[in-house]
Structures are given as structure tokens and as C-alpha cells.
Amino acid sequence: MDFMILSLIKLGLVLFIFMTALAYIQWIERKVIAHVQLRVGPKRVGPHGLLQPLADVIKLITKEGMVPSHVHPVFYYLAPFVAVFFALIPISFIPFGQANVKIPFTDITTNMELTDLNIGLLLILGLSGMGVYGIALAGWASNNKYSLIGGLRSSAQMISYELPMALALVSPLLMLNTVSLRELVNGQEGFYFNVIPRWTIFLMPAPQIFSFIIFMIAGFAETNRVPFDLPEAENELVAGFHVEYASMKFAAFFMAEYANMVTVCSVATLLFLGGWHPIVVPGIGNWIPALVHIGGGAICLYHGLVQPARKWDNITLPVFGVAFIGAGLLFAIPIVQELLAPVFWFTAKLLILLFVFIWVRATLPRFRYDQLMRFAWLFMFPLALVNLLITGLLVAATTN
Amino acid sequence: MRSAIDYPVESRPAPEPQESPTGQRRMTLNMGPQHPSTHGVLRIVIELEGETITRAEPDIGYLHTGIEKQCETKTWQQVTTLTDRVDYLSNLANNLVYALTVEKLLELEIPERAKYLRVMMSEFSRINSHLVWLGTHVLDIGAMSMFFYCFREREELLRVLEFFSGQRMMTSYIRVGGVALDAPRGWEKMVRKFVDVFPSRVDEYENLLEKNPIWLNRTKGVGYISVEDMLELGVTGPMLRGAGIAMDARRTEPYSGYEKFDFRVCTHTDNDVYARYRVRLEEMRESLKIIKQCLEGMPGGAFQADAPKVVLPEREKMKTQMEALIYHFKIVTEGFRVPKGEVYQAIESPRGEIAYYIVSDGTSKPYRLHMRTPSFGNLQGLSPMIEGALIADTIAALGSMDFVLGDTDR
């Protein structure tokens, strides 16, 4: 019974944070791209546009759900659900903190995740492969030529990139000898010479830098992001597979894309970047979360009080600054530190990877369909294979 | 299923798809007139086999404005404002060719200062047009940020145009007999500021694109069309120069004093999307060189021809001199008269060779005005360029043509 209640509370908490985060990732993306492109981004709804995601959600929910007369009704409705379903499931078994954490002031201990699956990684691979059905179905059911081409491109692309992606994931498995996500992260604890963390990308005998890069590139393709956004290439296919979708059905695709991005970045963090382990040795490392927050707060205060760039900045920025410093001081309390520091590290790595996704979107042009396929089969696939071979040989040579 | 998508379509129906030799059924795709990458309202009927284009047929006429015909109902000086609207991205080139054509009929002598101002403004217009082209072309290929960088410079440029003429886009600055207004006080400072900053910005664009393998893959070897086809179809401008033919009206048949300026006719031999990109990028630098020469060698004197029957008198003279008042009244009420005759004048617009053919019957309105516009000629090259290529190449090839549909349909 206790387990049930605890699980429900955790589920509610994670779901709330995750859904809010999905909306705000979009806000971050719009802001970052705006600043790359010499604009300011959303800033009308709430201070610095912070309520923009909320406004978007309300707009999408209340919009009329127009259904074109020429679609296949069953699959047309099914497609967005399939896409969002397979995109959201992985979050239920991605660990984001240590196991057996004791919650303060109670004697309950729990894991920082929803479910501990011993085959977590395999399941994630399988589910990401299922995601293609949502897009392919949408493309076909829309009964629109642009959608059809988008759906076809997407199917071919996702199937092709699944292969190097899976091969890139096999190498860390070989080194750490498990497929449980939690065990994988536990295997990366510690430091070489008290400086270099023992993350998979640095782990001896075969640092997995190449498989990390391959995984990230394949991740871009899996999530249909620039430069692999061919299925929805707006300049060629208008909007690709979601041309005929509006309101919540469109929002479902949108959510699926961002949820997939979070999943890919989480897996990269867990497998290659040491999950929730800090980047510096614990002695100093414990204070970094507090320092980062206080530093951020100080920057906000400086810009708000000394250099307000725009109207209202002298009110909004100090508020954020005080909130950040408050959070920083919270991280200075030992109990909270013990509980939340791993979550902080996990989130920080996740956000950095997400920033890379956004950064690339603002910079790179788009591949052509045949170039994309050639890149997958003639470059990524052999590279992943060679990497796997070398890793296997090195692991075999050292474990005897 | 098929009956469901049969919307009532008023325009010409797309041709029925044919069986391919391999027995696969082909798909006909209607690209446009509403499509994000057709730069306006171009419709291309594409026949696809998988992603490969087997046949492509551009369909124009969706932006027909009737400007050519409308010109016949306007007096000679009223036509100037209509020419602005034909090719709205390089309006000064259109102003210039119209003014030159009419002046040829009138046999007017244009003062040096006006010539220099005209050259400077039309080069500004060329940079303006190329900036819009670069931004949208790269946006079509998928990189969005470039668009905003190009429009940052365009904003500064439009500010210069506004400083000179009071307008940002539809400037109508070049008039028959000279220019509308003399260069305003402090124009040197304004132009110098732009001239100083702009080269580093062009380098920035080059940095962003030149070393990007995706950009090179998307442009190199794409959109090839043989030189013979180009010449037969009437393709001109950067597209022809990208094929290695140094045809530039500024050099081959100089007008408005271009023979005095030192500049290079940029050519490239690859004859693909990349070559056209290189040509236009270098042309921006050459245009800047011409602007610099204008800035340094701007002669003094009058900015309008000494032709009281054609050019409006100065305000001061109009208020004090009887004769000037009469001329003013005559020009404003019924327009000036242009001697009987036919004349043809071609110049180099940012898109290629633009030429006006004017027939005058001696009245104050043109009898017939025909525009030979570069966009129309360039667009003819679309079908040979993209047949056998992929859908994504269509976008790259379309972008590399740099057409304006107002200019195509006029």
C-alpha cells in the first residue's frame, strides 16, 4: 500500500515537472534562437515571455479541431496518440538520481526514478523504434501528397539511423556489462587522478567519444531535428507529415518531438556523461550547485539593478535573482544537498545537450534526402561498427 | 479515396500522371501557388517518381498586375512610380531603365552629378536585392539564422535609401531628367558608415556558408543547365555569369557613365547553384567598390537636366518667375511630351538584363511600353534544371534563379 501511494506521488510529481519542462524547453528554444538571430524572442506574455508556453497550450487546446474531409478517420486520429504515447513512456524508467534515498523527516527510502527496469536500455531502443509509426501513419492517413512524402522520408530515415544508434549504444554496454540504466550509471562513478571523471566518454580502456558523437548525430535524426528535419522540411514539403493537423493533434506531434529530444539527451547523459555523478570530486563538487545558482542570481541582480536593458527589467530581474539565490542557499543545506545535488547534475547535463540541439537548429542547413541516407549507411554505420570492434577487442584484452 | 481529394479547382488542371517505363505509377505534385519556397505565387506542376522529378512545368501568371498596360494610361512621369512596383526588390534598376529609355527619346543630356547619384543608388539597389536573395535562398536550404543576418544589413541599407529619397522601398528616386532630390546634407557620412561596415559582414556570410559541408553538398553540382539552353531561353544575369559568360550590360554596353567606374565582372565556371551563389556574393563586393568610387568622385553641379519642358522647375523659381510657373503648370497638368519614335534600352539589373521598349506617338502618354524582364527569362531555365533531380534540388534551383514574380508577370 505504501508503495502504491509513494509511486502515485512520484508519478504525479515527475509528470508535472516533465510536462512543464516540455513547455519551457520550447520557451528556451525560442529565446536562444532569437538571440542567435539578433532578435529578443517572446517577451509580451508575462515577464520575459515566461507565460508564453502557458498561452500556447491554452491556445492549442481551445482551438477548433478541424478535420479535413479527405483523411482516413481512424488512422488520422490514431497517429498523434501513437507518436506522443511512445515518446512519453521512456520517462517512466529513466533514473535521475541515486537509489535508496531517504526522504528527510520520514523513514521512507525510495529510488529517484519511477520504475527500476533491468532492461531499461533495450526498452528505450525498442520504443524509439516504435515512434516512427506515429509519423508514418500521419503521413499516410492525411491523404496529402506532401504528408505522404514526409511520412515516407521519416520512415526511411528513422529506420536507417536506428542502426548506428543501437551500435553506438552497444559499446558502453560492453564496457559496463549491464543493460540496466541504473547499473550503467553506477559503473561510471569515481575519478581518475581525482580530476577526470570515469564517465564512459573517458573510461579506460576504450573511451567512447566516437560512439557518443554517433549517438548524438543519430539522435538528431531520430528526433527529426535540423539538419535532419526532412520529414517536416517546411521549405520543401510545407510542413511534411503534419500538414493536415491542427489544434491538440498538432500539439501532440509537437510534444512528441520535444519529449523525444529529452529522451535522447537523457540516454546520452546516462550512458556517456556519467548520469548524476558530479563533474568534479565531491569535496568541492558538493558546493557547485549552490554556487551556480547564486552566480546566476547575482547576474540577474546586476542586470536588473545596475544595468536594466529594458522597461520592467529593474523589477523582474531582481525577483528572479532573489529566487535563484534562495535556491542556491537551499543547495547549501546538507540534507537538501544530499538529496538534490544528483538531480541537479543530471538536469545540468541534460540541459547542456538540449542547448546543443537548439544551437545546431539555429546554425545548420538541411541535408538532402539521398545525402542523408548516404551519410547514415556509408559513414555512420561503418564508423559505429569499427568503434564497436575496437571497443570489444580492448575490453577483451583487459578483462582477462 | 481519390474522389475525396477532388476539390473544385478553377485553374488549369494538372496533367494526368503517366506510367513510367518501369511500370511504376507517377505522382503529380502541385507545388504552389501557395508554397513557402516559391517566393510568391509561382506554381510548378511536378511529376514525381519516388523523390525524383521526371517532369516539371512552371506555371506563371498568378501575380499579373497589368502594369505594362496601365503604363499606357499614365503620363510619362507617372509611369516612374509604376516601374517601382514591377520588381519590388530592385526598384531603382527599373526606375533607371525607364528614365534612360525616355531620355533616349527626348535626347536629354544628363548632368554628371545625376549620373553618379544614379549609379550609386542602383548599386545600393543591387546589394539590397542580393541580400534578400541570399537570406531567402539559405533559408530555403534550411539555415534560418542567415536570413536575419542579411536583413540586418538590409535594414541599414534601407535607411540610406530613405535618407536619400524619403522612402524605404518604393523610392521612385530616379526620374526622367535626373534624380528626384539632390543628395541630402551629411550623405557622405551615412554612406561611408555603410561602406566601412559592409565588407566585414559579407565575410561573415562567407564564413558561415563556405566551410559548411552541408551547404556545399546542397549547392555544388545542383541545378545544372547547359550554356546553349541558357542562351536559347534568354537566361541572363548572375545565372549566365555563373556559367562563365561575362555578359554584363554595365560593361558590354555601358550606360549612365558606368564606363568610368572600375569594377570586375564576376564569373564562375561551374554553372550550378554554388556558382551562382559565388557570383552574387562577389557582386556585392564589386557593387560596394563602385559605391566607394561614387563617394570619392561625386561631382558637383546640378542634379537634374537643364530641360525646363521636362523637369519641374525649382520651387523658388516657380514662385518668382512667370515662365517657370507656366512650365510647372504644363508639366503637372498634362505632362511633358515625348517626340514620336521607338526606342530600346537595356541595363543590368540585379537579376539580369532588364530592358524597356517604348513606342511614343508624340503625346504625353506612352503609346506602348514593353518590359523585357530578367525574371521571366531566368524562370524558363527551371524545367531543364530540375528534371531528373530531387524535390530538395527544386528548392535550391528555384532559389538560385532569384526571380521576383512581380517582375515575371508584370
Side-chain angles (χ1 to χ4, degrees):
Chain A
M1 195 56 206
D2 261 4
F3 173 77
M4 276 296 283
I5 294 168
L6 192 64
S7 293
L8 278 176
I9 292 172
K10 274 205 294 188
L11 183 68
L13 208 63
V14 168
L15 203 65
F16 175 74
I17 293 175
F18 184 65
M19 291 313 231
T20 320
L22 276 191
Y24 275 91
I25 287 168
Q26 197 224 337
W27 177 83
I28 293 172
E29 171 161 30
R30 287 174 69 175
K31 274 286 184 192
V32 169
I33 290 187
H35 283 279
V36 170
Q37 295 172 344
L38 319 161
R39 301 181 284 126
V40 287
K43 70 187 283 285
R44 294 288 169 118
V45 193
H48 300 269
L50 271 172
L51 297 179
Q52 184 72 44
L54 195 70
D56 286 345
V57 168
I58 292 171
K59 178 241 181 194
L60 282 167
I61 289 177
T62 52
K63 201 173 173 174
E64 185 194 352
M66 211 269 294
V67 182
S69 58
H70 55 73
V71 298
H72 190 294
V74 178
F75 295 122
Y76 177 78
Y77 279 107
L78 193 63
F81 285 106
V82 170
V84 82
F85 180 72
F86 289 114
L88 290 182
I89 282 191
I91 226 63
S92 61
F93 46 84
I94 284 177
F96 46 84
Q98 277 153 333
N100 300 323
V101 178
K102 188 177 162 296
I103 296 171
F105 314 120
T106 56
D107 33 322
I108 307 165
T109 58
T110 182
N111 291 351
M112 293 290 240
E113 68 194 327
L114 290 181
T115 358
D116 188 6
L117 279 180
N118 54 357
I119 51 157
L121 191 63
L122 293 181
L123 202 55
I124 282 185
L125 271 178
L127 287 172
S128 73
M130 294 293 284
V132 69
Y133 280 104
I135 292 173
L137 272 181
W140 184 80
S142 293
N143 198 3
N144 175 313
K145 288 167 183 174
Y146 291 116
S147 303
L148 183 67
I149 297 174
L152 283 176
R153 279 182 177 187
S154 170
S155 315
Q157 173 182 333
M158 285 171 112
I159 290 166
S160 303
Y161 277 85
E162 200 93 311
L163 210 59
M165 189 181 204
L167 282 175
L169 286 183
V170 172
S171 318
L173 299 190
L174 270 181
M175 295 179 67
L176 299 166
N177 214 8
T178 170
V179 282
S180 155
L181 289 167
R182 180 167 292 285
E183 291 304 312
L184 277 165
V185 176
N186 286 342
Q188 300 175 50
E189 202 174 356
F191 293 87
Y192 290 116
F193 318 115
N194 270 347
V195 185
I196 308 165
R198 281 166 57 96
W199 300 349
T200 321
I201 49 168
F202 304 123
L203 193 63
M204 285 298 152
Q208 292 302 322
I209 293 171
F210 282 113
S211 52
F212 175 61
I213 294 169
I214 293 170
F215 177 79
M216 281 308 280
I217 295 176
F220 276 95
E222 277 288 306
T223 50
N224 294 328
R225 295 279 297 184
V226 174
F228 302 102
D229 62 336
L230 297 173
E232 45 190 310
E234 65 168 32
N235 304 94
E236 297 154 27
L237 303 180
V238 190
F241 62 88
H242 57 67
V243 169
E244 304 283 8
Y245 283 88
S247 74
M248 250 348 249
K249 296 189 283 297
F250 167 73
F253 281 120
F254 208 64
M255 213 155 75
E257 182 182 325
Y258 283 85
N260 277 330
M261 249 164 76
V262 173
T263 311
V264 165
C265 292
S266 307
V267 173
T269 308
L270 292 174
L271 253 74
F272 297 102
L273 300 180
W276 50 83
H277 297 310
I279 193 168
V280 281
V281 278
I284 323 155
N286 286 345
W287 295 99
I288 285 188
L291 286 178
V292 167
H293 278 93
I294 291 173
I299 292 172
C300 282
L301 279 181
Y302 173 75
H303 279 282
L305 298 175
V306 187
Q307 270 195 335
R310 280 178 282 274
K311 208 177 153 192
W312 300 114
D313 270 9
N314 51 359
I315 299 168
T316 54
L317 282 179
V319 171
F320 287 127
V322 170
F324 270 121
I325 290 175
L329 292 177
L330 208 63
F331 271 105
I333 304 168
I335 309 170
V336 182
Q337 200 177 58
E338 208 175 307
L339 190 71
L340 288 184
V343 181
F344 167 83
W345 283 112
F346 178 77
T347 319
K349 291 169 188 173
L350 188 68
L351 283 178
I352 289 171
L353 290 183
L354 281 172
F355 176 77
V356 174
F357 268 75
I358 296 167
W359 188 13
V360 165
R361 180 172 169 203
T363 314
L364 289 185
R366 181 182 302 123
F367 272 105
R368 202 172 65 196
Y369 181 65
D370 59 327
Q371 288 161 357
L372 174 105
M373 288 311 218
R374 206 174 302 141
F375 186 67
W377 290 101
L378 297 184
F379 178 73
M380 302 261 288
F381 181 57
L383 191 66
L385 264 184
V386 169
N387 184 60
L388 180 60
L389 195 71
I390 292 171
T391 309
L393 284 174
L394 285 173
V395 169
T398 48
T399 43
N400 282 339
Chain B
M1 236 20 198
R2 240 195 101 69
S3 65
I5 54 170
D6 280 339
Y7 285 120
V9 179
E10 281 176 18
S11 60
R12 188 158 56 88
E16 272 300 301
Q18 298 168 342
E19 291 274 317
S20 80
T22 48
Q24 283 170 308
R25 193 145 166 276
R26 287 172 181 167
M27 180 166 87
T28 309
L29 184 69
N30 239 329
M31 218 177 202
Q34 280 91 33
H35 187 278
S37 295
T38 49
H39 295 278
V41 283
L42 174 69
R43 176 188 183 217
I44 316 168
V45 182
I46 290 176
E47 206 178 85
L48 289 169
E49 201 177 305
E51 284 238 358
T52 314
I53 294 161
T54 50
R55 201 165 48 132
E57 210 179 284
D59 184 11
I60 59 167
Y62 288 92
L63 200 63
H64 184 67
T65 48
I67 282 180
E68 239 178 52
K69 185 74 187 163
Q70 215 181 340
C71 290
E72 293 166 22
T73 65
K74 303 275 178 198
T75 58
W76 291 98
Q77 71 268 52
Q78 281 173 333
V79 172
T80 311
T81 52
L82 281 179
T83 59
D84 272 328
R85 274 117 183 123
V86 173
D87 178 353
Y88 37 79
L89 289 180
S90 64
N91 41 13
L92 282 152
N94 290 42
N95 288 168
L96 180 59
V97 65
Y98 174 70
L100 286 173
T101 321
V102 179
E103 281 156 13
K104 221 180 195 178
L105 268 175
L106 287 165
E107 288 167 3
L108 272 189
E109 195 57 48
I110 303 300
E112 277 300 291
R113 188 177 174 79
K115 281 186 180 173
Y116 267 68
L117 278 172
R118 284 175 169 190
V119 166
M120 188 166 80
M121 295 314 270
S122 56
E123 291 309 316
F124 269 131
S125 180
R126 189 180 313 277
I127 294 178
N128 179 8
S129 165
H130 282 357
L131 280 175
V132 175
W133 162 80
L134 184 63
T136 52
H137 182 44
V138 182
L139 181 71
D140 284 349
I141 291 186
M144 351 182 229
S145 296
M146 197 66 180
F147 180 75
F148 292 93
Y149 300 150
C150 288
F151 269 59
R152 166 186 60 186
E153 268 68 73
R154 181 170 183 259
E155 190 57 37
E156 273 162 35
L157 208 150
L158 289 183
R159 233 168 257 155
V160 176
L161 291 188
E162 191 186 7
F163 193 59
F164 272 84
S165 65
Q167 287 286 328
R168 283 158 61 85
M169 275 184 80
M170 303 301 157
T171 50
S172 296
Y173 184 64
I174 299 171
R175 307 269 172 92
V176 177
V179 291
L181 301 156
D182 200 359
R185 245 173 299 158
W187 69 274
E188 289 103 334
K189 213 175 131 197
M190 189 105 182
V191 173
R192 181 152 290 133
K193 208 176 109 199
F194 180 80
V195 167
D196 287 343
V197 174
F198 193 64
S200 66
R201 298 284 162 84
V202 181
D203 293 343
E204 212 176 292
Y205 308 148
E206 220 179 346
N207 268 339
L208 208 60
L209 295 173
E210 206 67 13
K211 284 170 193 152
N212 189 333
I214 304 178
W215 166 257
L216 296 180
N217 276 337
R218 285 298 303 276
T219 54
K220 277 194 169 170
V222 171
Y224 172 82
I225 170 175
S226 71
V227 182
E228 292 76 32
D229 278 355
M230 272 188 179
L231 292 173
E232 248 163 49
L233 292 168
V235 176
T236 48
M239 279 179 76
L240 201 57
R241 291 197 283 280
I245 296 182
M247 201 189 98
D248 190 330
R250 291 178 294 174
R251 179 59 51 80
T252 50
E253 36 191 320
Y255 52 90
S256 191
Y258 262 111
E259 64 277 358
K260 291 187 203 106
F261 292 96
D262 167 43
F263 66 97
R264 194 164 58 85
V265 176
C266 312
T267 52
H268 210 280
T269 46
D270 288 355
N271 195 3
D272 55 9
V273 176
Y274 178 75
R276 289 160 210 152
Y277 146 78
R278 284 297 325 168
V279 166
R280 291 203 179 93
L281 205 68
E282 280 159 29
E283 268 182 21
M284 281 201 247
R285 294 204 174 101
E286 293 304 313
S287 289
L288 205 71
K289 223 158 90 185
I290 297 175
I291 292 173
K292 236 184 231 167
Q293 289 167 42
C294 288
L295 188 64
E296 279 148 17
M298 180 67 73
F303 64 96
Q304 281 177 329
D306 180 24
K309 283 188 175 170
V310 176
V311 180
L312 281 177
E314 276 172 43
R315 206 77 188 152
E316 187 59 33
K317 272 189 192 163
M318 193 260 280
K319 301 244 168 159
T320 51
Q321 295 175 7
M322 182 69 162
E323 213 170 325
L325 183 63
I326 293 170
Y327 281 131
H328 187 274
F329 180 75
K330 290 281 272 182
I331 294 172
V332 169
T333 51
E334 56 167 71
F336 55 82
R337 286 166 194 279
V338 171
K340 237 179 187 175
E342 308 179 6
V343 73
Y344 179 86
Q345 167 75 39
I347 71 160
E348 189 70 21
S349 97
R351 276 161 251 295
E353 193 174 293
I354 184 166
Y356 278 23
Y357 173 69
I358 294 181
V359 182
S360 167
D361 56 357
T363 59
S364 58
K365 287 171 185 169
Y367 177 74
R368 175 84 173 96
L369 193 155
H370 176 73
M371 301 163 180
R372 183 258 179 248
T373 48
S375 299
F376 183 77
N378 291 359
L379 198 56
Q380 307 301 313
L382 181 66
S383 304
M385 222 183 249
I386 61 173
E387 273 165 17
L390 301 170
I391 301 180
D393 291 337
T394 316
I395 305 305
L398 270 180
S400 78
M401 274 177 218
D402 186 24
F403 55 83
V404 162
L405 279 160
D407 199 29
T408 314
D409 295 343
R410 66 232 178 235

